[in-house]
Amino acid sequence: MTFALLLTSILAFSACTASVTPAPAGEEDAADAGTTGAYPPGTMTVYGYGQPQYWQQFFENYLNDHPDVAPGVSVEMVQTENEADARQKVQLSFTAGAYDELPDATASAPVSMKALADGGVLLDVTDYVEQFKDRFVPGALDQLYYKDRIYCLPKDLRPQLLFYNQEIFDQYGIDPAGMETIEGYIETGRQLKEASDGEVYLSYIDPGAFTWRYWGRRGLMPQANARIWDENGEVVIDTDPGAKLAMDTLATLNEEELLYKSAIFQPPLYDAAREGKVATFYIGAFWDEFLRKNLPDMEGKWRVMPAPIFQDLGLGGAPVVGLECLINKPDPVYADLYKTIWEAYQFDADARQTWTEQMVAEDAPYSNPISVEMLQDDFWKEPTPYYGGQSFREAEANGLNNVSQNLIVTDKDAEADTIISAEIESYVAGNQTMDEALANMGEQLRERIGTAPVD
Amino acid sequence: MSSNSIWARMWKKRQIYLFISPFFILFGIFQLTPMVWSFYLSFHEWNGLGAPEFIGLGNYRFLLRDKVFHSALRNTVIYWLANSLAIIPLALILASLLNHTWLRAKRLIRTTVFLPYVTATVAVGLIFNMLFDYNSGLINSLLELIGLAPVPWLTSVQTSKLPVIFLNIWRITPWHALILFSGLQAIPHDLYEAATVDGAGALRRFFSITIPSLMPILFFSFITLTVDAFRIFTEPYILTQGGPANSSISIVQYLYINGFSIFKLGLASAVGYALTLILLIVSFGQIIAMRRESGLMEGN
Amino acid sequence: MKTARTTRITVYGLLLIWCLVSAFPLFWMVSASLKPPSESFAGINAFIPQDPTFANYARVAQLVPMARNFVNSVIVAGVGMAVTVFLCSLAGYAFAKFDFPGKNALFLLLLATMMVPPEAGVVPLFAIMRALGWINNLLALIVPNAATAIGIFYMRQYISSFPSEIMEQARIDGAGDFRIYWQIVLPVITPALAAWASLAFIARWNDFFWPLLFLRSKEMYTLMVSISVLPVSEGLSTPWPVIMAGTTIAVAPLVVIYLVLQSFQREGLALGAVKG
């Protein structure tokens, strides 16, 4: 009896709270609220992944330096597991109508951003972001658009970079400049293998999902101008010449045994790098942190250069965008405060440098600014001891000089990644040829997804 | 029997119903609604936002033809068989070893053999990954030491289930050993003494006293093991992420990927129901087979 | 009972091997947590730190609000354990020792609920928790597991192996059903209570899935959640030795609890003593 009553009341209650539709706060309303400069005391909550506690430090710095902007407001960064977990938390609260539990902002990435924007969870910030368009490095906004609107603020834009162990190249008298092209990169791998009697591998290959992520989606595919979907959302990965070029390149590296087979982010790979078995790390600026944190004993040995390019295509790596999305709550009281602090992060050179120096002191992660003006400062060209005096910051900035377009991201791409990756894993495990892998990718994508709506 | 007398009998036992009521109340609140809801959702397509779209039996039909689900089903059955064959005998041996009254340093030994179940999965995942590493793993080093070729444990489609099975046995055996050990402690010593006086050897005592006395607990272990094995998730998740090429993926992992990383919530619900159906069939088969030994369905 | 020397040697030998296999990964974890990130810890020769340091522990303390999360874990696991052991043993006693209409049907229903994977119903469960106001509240982790099917099943099996005569005697003496449970059944089943308490405590302490779902601020996270989300960043900027320091801190209380709960495990005397 009590049980039945309890159950009914709970159901009724949850139905009530779930059926209240949010009054989507228009951008204009939010802007009006912001101009008064008054924010209610409370906590601004932000979901992040990776290491959001360092991002929080910038917010705290700002609030300390500007005590009149938002007195009584504190910031909390909640660490979530990853992009999918952050999305899961946000959409659970949103679907349950739990607007008071929603964060004010969340970190995200293109696939989740599109799904959340479609569901009406994110604030439209098109006009706000576009006013800064000319002050950002070219391409900074490219991955932000969804159905011609912008739903997230760009936090950073990191290029694809190749990290190499200078000591190995010196030892065997090989010039790393040969790795400017992918053809040269493969050739360098062959030379290293021969000179070292098979001891030194050009790079690594992961047996799991990271191979598609780093070698494929972010690496060779965009540089080869490859496509998974055509403009109508039909699967073309198995017929696209770019995809064939990208995957055949990986196959060449793998089948000539130029890649050390070892799981990424695992201690055995660190050890292999330490022992000089892995000459380069392909690809992505994040390797900087990976190397500094996990191989501090190799300081001075590593150098960095832009990702190698296909000779005939000349396209650099496709940059990775970091997104910070404001949540469409009925009353987004801190949306403007978030924007103000974000503006300081992007354009207030002093604030950014102070924070960056804190990060350096704590050996914490940070990335280059995306504002053209800020990048002019010599601060962003300072030498980095870990790279033997080469400036990592400058190299990161240079990495954006020649970029390729990222693969089109549809809201089916998280699923597509699992399908494509399974076929590549099967190839890496030696169970099928790369041609078979490509054919199976096409077949499985059509079977399981069909067409993907390209916005 | 008239309904009146049933109500009267139930009223007489009202206190007993009170004893068992917390579970059923909690079940009603926290499990029943989600179950009904996910049954409804299993006929829909939904990404967690907006309105679910009705697709009839579409999700179930997809499962019937999806090769990844087939792989998950096949792997899970293999995990279940391997676990059933290994864990209960090992746990029984361990519990018997621990149950010797003359054993010294009991607490230390019991705590040590129980460590696998205590250790955080993040740490276990890392360490087993290093143990089974192809290039520098301890296991391959040992194999090479005795002149055998290294095995690509985690990186080959053919062998990737083995580390998962080893890890599962390593982690779960102490759990069952503790359960069985608690059962052994309830067996009165005078039973053994009487048998020894009658000239029964250790082996005969084990089969004529230990096993029969332990039957209710053994039955519990078998059912729990089946349920756990069919719901295996942690081990493949932390070791191989189900790969390479889905060669070690389990059903719950398949459910997890659909529900929590690619947000096909309708399909995830259908997987949940498929799994429930399989488990009901398998475990009720076990219940019927062990009906007499289990002490279940006696009386009334 | 005299035991042959060879039996003893065999038993000790087997247990020694068993202990080594069981403890070895944990030993590795602790050893890795004492290594500076510059030291290799993957290879066969890397078990003993050459240059031990507690810096990794200090680092974890910077990354995670340790004391607060520890308290959360203690509440979730401690309260959860106590409630579960009580409610499961009470219901197990009812199923084992009484006949009542619908008993078998209810028990089969209870078993059937074990077969349903709870992960599939996360969205409505979240709505229910929200209706109760339990999002970001430790109650969301304690109450749903306060009486579990598996715990009741275990207690029922355990209690059913005891003869009912002792209860009958107490009943003749005028004791009610609850008093019999409290004064007669509970003392007899202490090994089962201790075993189940250990397992329940560990399961709640190590749980990662549900806390991550229902808790929404790092102050409310349990220790295991805070530690487990550390290694997820791209490029893994939290070095493994730091994570191993975190897991060592998280696991240490479990070992202590388990040691303590073992005082309640007395071998071989339970029924004999009662009978006598």
Side-chain angles (χ1 to χ4, degrees):
Chain A
M1 186 62 172
T2 19
F3 151 68
L5 261 176
L6 199 56
L7 185 64
T8 337
S9 55
I10 284 165
L11 285 178
F13 189 26
S14 58
C16 281
T17 48
S19 62
V20 182
T21 34
E27 207 186 323
E28 277 67 33
D29 302 342
D32 285 345
T35 48
T36 63
Y39 299 101
T43 307
M44 172 160 80
T45 310
V46 182
Y47 289 175
Y49 44 90
Q51 301 201 317
Q53 54 274 66
Y54 297 118
W55 180 217
Q56 174 164 6
Q57 238 167 302
F58 187 86
F59 283 68
E60 283 168 359
N61 288 354
Y62 183 89
L63 292 175
N64 286 336
D65 294 346
H66 305 83
D68 351 314
V69 173
V73 177
S74 60
V75 179
E76 182 177 30
M77 297 273 168
V78 178
Q79 173 126 30
T80 61
E81 205 182 353
N82 48 36
E83 175 197 345
D85 182 37
R87 169 181 168 186
Q88 160 88 3
K89 282 185 153 74
V90 170
Q91 74 182 26
L92 268 179
S93 295
F94 193 84
T95 304
Y99 302 112
D100 49 330
E101 280 148 17
L102 280 168
D104 297 281
T106 180
S108 198
V111 178
S112 298
M113 177 268 280
K114 294 183 181 186
L116 290 172
D118 252 347
V121 185
L122 305 179
L123 277 178
D124 184 328
V125 288
T126 315
D127 300 337
Y128 174 73
V129 172
E130 277 185 341
Q131 63 176 312
F132 302 110
K133 197 169 191 159
D134 299 335
R135 299 173 68 184
F136 286 137
V137 295
L141 307 189
D142 286 357
Q143 295 168 76
L144 264 56
Y145 283 96
Y146 176 56
K147 294 182 176 162
D148 295 327
R149 306 298 295 171
I150 296 179
Y151 294 93
C152 297
L153 312 174
K155 185 182 169 208
D156 49 28
L157 187 71
R158 307 205 73 180
Q160 304 297 355
L161 300 170
L162 183 70
F163 295 78
Y164 59 96
N165 185 338
Q166 180 71 45
E167 203 181 55
I168 294 177
F169 286 85
D170 289 346
Q171 188 184 340
Y172 297 107
I174 296 169
D175 185 3
M179 301 190 289
E180 275 165 22
T181 63
I182 288 173
E183 292 78 2
Y185 187 53
I186 297 172
E187 193 48 44
T188 304
R190 290 173 182 145
Q191 288 169 8
L192 282 168
K193 186 182 173 187
E194 200 183 313
S196 68
D197 225 5
E199 268 301 296
V200 177
Y201 292 82
L202 178 63
S203 191
Y204 81 101
I205 189 164
D206 180 89
F210 289 109
T211 290
W212 163 244
R213 183 180 173 115
Y214 296 128
W215 281 103
R217 176 175 281 281
R218 291 197 185 165
L220 297 165
M221 291 284 284
Q223 287 189 266
N225 234 338
R227 295 179 307 169
I228 301 173
W229 321 100
D230 70 8
E231 54 282 353
N232 301 319
E234 300 288 341
V235 177
V236 292
I237 193 168
D238 48 348
T239 52
D240 184 79
K244 176 132 181 71
L245 173 63
M247 291 298 119
D248 281 351
T249 303
L250 181 61
T252 304
L253 289 165
N254 185 47
E255 283 157 31
E256 293 192 22
E257 291 178 349
L258 306 180
L259 304 178
Y260 185 72
K261 206 186 212 184
S262 188
I264 190 175
F265 307 147
Q266 298 277 344
L269 184 57
Y270 309 161
D271 279 358
R274 253 187 206 111
E275 290 159 13
K277 284 185 184 162
V278 180
T280 74
F281 280 114
Y282 180 96
I283 192 177
F286 72 84
W287 281 105
D288 164 49
E289 218 191 306
F290 170 91
L291 296 172
R292 278 190 294 118
K293 282 281 183 68
N294 295 294
L295 297 168
D297 46 320
M298 293 187 81
E299 173 160 331
K301 293 183 182 171
W302 291 93
R303 300 289 182 276
V304 60
M305 63 190 280
I309 55 175
F310 285 107
Q311 205 155 14
D312 296 338
L313 295 168
L315 294 169
V320 180
V321 73
L323 303 178
E324 296 281 320
C325 316
L326 297 171
I327 304 294
N328 182 17
K329 299 177 165 197
D331 184 19
V333 285
Y334 296 128
D336 283 290
L337 180 60
Y338 194 95
K339 286 178 188 165
T340 309
I341 299 176
W342 174 82
E343 265 176 62
Y345 181 75
Q346 301 298 3
F347 303 112
D348 181 340
D350 289 341
R352 182 68 177 261
Q353 288 181 17
T354 308
W355 176 78
T356 304
E357 269 161 2
Q358 283 174 344
M359 296 299 104
V360 172
E362 291 179 41
D363 203 12
Y366 66 89
S367 53
N368 265 21
I370 51 173
S371 118
V372 177
E373 191 187 309
M374 218 189 258
L375 278 169
Q376 304 301 316
D377 196 301
D378 279 344
F379 181 83
W380 299 103
K381 296 175 178 115
E382 277 181 13
T384 320
Y386 192 83
Y387 299 95
Q390 185 192 8
S391 171
F392 177 76
R393 293 175 195 164
E394 192 173 14
E396 182 171 354
N398 289 340
L400 292 175
N401 287 342
N402 174 18
V403 296
S404 53
Q405 285 291 318
N406 271 279
L407 296 184
I408 292 170
V409 173
T410 73
D411 65 356
K412 299 282 186 201
D413 270 56
E415 185 178 4
D417 279 347
T418 65
I419 296 167
I420 296 169
S421 182
E423 298 304 333
I424 292 186
E425 288 167 36
S426 175
Y427 161 76
V428 173
N431 264 44
Q432 59 182 358
T433 65
M434 191 55 98
D435 284 340
E436 286 164 352
L438 273 167
N440 287 336
M441 283 175 209
E443 189 198 304
Q444 282 293 305
L445 285 170
R446 282 186 199 95
E447 163 76 16
R448 294 160 64 93
I449 297 182
T451 53
V454 176
D455 53 278
Chain B
M1 206 179 289
S2 78
S3 66
N4 251 349
S5 77
I6 284 190
W7 288 117
R9 274 170 57 207
M10 286 175 75
W11 179 248
K12 219 177 115 198
K13 300 277 183 186
R14 61 193 180 277
Q15 202 179 4
I16 305 306
Y17 289 105
L18 189 69
F19 289 174
I20 62 167
S21 63
F23 168 77
F24 291 97
I25 293 171
L26 292 172
F27 167 75
I29 298 173
F30 296 107
Q31 263 190 294
L32 193 60
T33 322
M35 274 168 63
V36 172
W37 180 86
S38 64
F39 186 68
Y40 162 85
L41 200 62
S42 71
F43 302 103
H44 293 74
E45 198 174 294
W46 194 45
N47 74 350
L49 291 158
E53 185 194 334
F54 181 75
I55 54 164
L57 288 170
N59 287 320
Y60 293 97
R61 269 202 293 272
F62 181 84
L63 289 182
L64 285 179
R65 61 168 204 268
D66 182 32
K67 70 173 192 179
V68 181
F69 180 69
H70 297 167
S71 173
L73 193 59
R74 203 165 42 237
N75 296 341
T76 304
V77 170
I78 292 172
Y79 293 144
W80 169 56
L81 290 174
N83 277 359
S84 306
L85 290 176
I87 289 182
I88 302 259
L90 281 173
L92 199 53
I93 292 169
L94 180 57
S96 309
L97 289 176
L98 292 174
N99 199 36
H100 286 106
T101 39
W102 44 264
L103 208 63
R104 310 259 171 162
K106 280 195 183 86
R107 274 207 201 191
L108 182 69
I109 294 173
R110 282 182 206 154
T111 307
T112 311
V113 296
F114 196 64
L115 288 176
Y117 186 66
V118 167
T119 312
T121 51
V122 183
V124 173
L126 174 73
I127 283 158
F128 271 76
N129 262 302
M130 295 193 304
L131 272 179
F132 284 101
D133 187 69
Y134 177 73
N135 304 298
S136 63
L138 184 61
I139 290 172
N140 277 348
S141 301
L142 291 176
L143 286 179
E144 281 171 346
L145 211 65
I146 55 170
L148 295 173
V151 177
W153 297 105
L154 298 163
T155 54
S156 135
V157 175
Q158 285 77 28
T159 53
S160 64
K161 282 185 277 296
L162 288 171
V164 173
I165 290 170
F166 287 138
L167 174 57
N168 198 235
I169 293 171
W170 180 80
R171 229 170 67 84
I172 302 304
T173 300
W175 194 96
H176 288 278
L178 181 64
I179 292 292
L180 295 174
F181 179 65
S182 74
L184 288 179
Q185 287 178 294
I187 303 176
H189 259 263
D190 32 11
L191 278 184
Y192 287 107
E193 272 155 32
T196 312
V197 171
D198 292 348
L203 212 61
R204 231 190 84 200
R205 289 201 300 271
F206 183 76
F207 282 105
S208 65
I209 300 172
T210 311
I211 295 287
S213 313
L214 215 49
M215 220 53 211
I217 295 291
L218 270 173
F219 173 70
F220 168 78
S221 262
F222 267 112
I223 297 288
T224 318
L225 194 70
T226 300
V227 173
D228 282 351
F230 269 94
R231 299 212 321 222
I232 185 172
F233 173 75
T234 308
E235 284 79 7
Y237 182 71
I238 62 179
L239 261 193
T240 58
Q241 289 82 48
N246 297 316
S247 60
S248 62
I249 193 172
S250 72
I251 295 179
V252 174
Q253 216 178 352
Y254 181 82
L255 186 161
Y256 183 86
I257 289 167
N258 280 299
F260 297 92
S261 37
I262 61 176
F263 297 98
K264 291 171 84 171
L265 295 169
L267 185 61
S269 296
V271 176
Y273 268 91
L275 176 56
T276 306
L277 189 68
I278 295 168
L279 259 176
L280 282 175
I281 293 169
V282 173
S283 49
F284 275 79
Q286 285 181 322
I287 289 175
I288 288 163
M290 293 181 77
R291 180 172 45 193
R292 192 159 305 153
E293 292 87 340
S294 68
L296 204 71
M297 306 185 190
E298 88 241 311
N300 294 41
Chain C
M1 221 189 300
K2 284 225 173 106
T3 313
R5 198 184 159 81
T6 47
T7 312
R8 287 183 186 234
I9 292 173
T10 318
V11 168
Y12 277 120
L14 285 172
L15 282 174
L16 181 70
I17 295 168
W18 214 300
C19 285
L20 287 176
V21 171
S22 302
F24 163 73
L26 202 79
F27 171 73
W28 201 346
M29 171 182 90
V30 177
S31 148
S33 77
L34 297 170
K35 282 170 180 256
S38 55
E39 224 175 273
S40 154
F41 74 99
I44 191 166
N45 50 358
F47 296 144
I48 310 292
Q50 281 141 30
D51 189 10
T53 168
F54 283 100
N56 299 320
Y57 289 85
R59 190 78 178 151
V60 179
Q62 280 171 11
L63 291 168
V64 171
M66 198 101 71
R68 186 60 217 265
N69 290 346
F70 179 81
V71 171
N72 294 339
S73 288
V74 169
I75 294 172
V76 169
V79 177
M81 168 191 82
V83 178
T84 291
V85 168
F86 170 64
L87 291 179
C88 290
S89 60
L90 186 61
Y93 159 67
F95 275 120
K97 291 298 171 199
F98 294 92
D99 270 333
F100 50 88
K103 171 176 151 171
N104 280 344
L106 286 172
F107 191 69
L108 287 175
L109 173 66
L110 178 133
L111 287 187
T113 65
M114 287 171 61
M115 320 292 161
V116 183
E119 294 89 352
V122 155
V123 177
L125 191 56
F126 186 88
I128 291 168
M129 290 299 174
R130 161 156 170 72
L132 293 166
W134 287 355
I135 300 302
N136 211 18
N137 187 323
L138 299 179
L139 284 175
L141 304 174
I142 296 171
V143 177
N145 291 318
T148 59
I150 184 173
I152 295 170
F153 182 23
Y154 170 63
M155 290 297 175
R156 175 199 179 274
Q157 297 305 99
Y158 195 88
I159 295 170
S160 68
S161 62
F162 288 97
S164 306
E165 292 103 59
I166 35 170
M167 287 167 44
E168 295 309 326
Q169 187 54 49
R171 191 161 287 130
I172 291 163
D173 296 345
D177 293 333
F178 188 78
R179 231 183 92 199
I180 293 174
Y181 160 77
W182 193 255
Q183 291 187 339
I184 300 194
V185 175
L186 277 191
V188 175
I189 61 166
T190 37
L193 297 177
W196 201 252
S198 317
L199 297 176
F201 191 92
I202 293 162
R204 281 160 185 70
W205 187 277
N206 281 348
D207 185 20
F208 167 68
F209 184 81
W210 299 107
L212 194 62
L213 203 63
F214 295 130
L215 302 180
R216 292 300 177 94
S217 69
K218 61 186 177 214
E219 267 64 43
M220 293 309 291
Y221 277 178
T222 57
L223 201 50
M224 203 47 81
V225 172
S226 282
I227 303 293
S228 302
V229 291
L230 281 183
V232 294
S233 94
E234 183 167 77
L236 192 69
S237 45
T238 314
W240 281 112
V242 177
I243 293 160
M244 292 298 104
T247 52
T248 304
I249 295 170
V251 163
L254 291 180
V255 178
V256 174
I257 281 283
Y258 188 66
L259 271 169
V260 169
L261 282 170
Q262 275 192 45
S263 345
F264 296 98
Q265 297 197 337
R266 295 158 296 178
E267 57 284 328
L269 54 79
L271 192 61
V274 171
K275 265 187 165 173

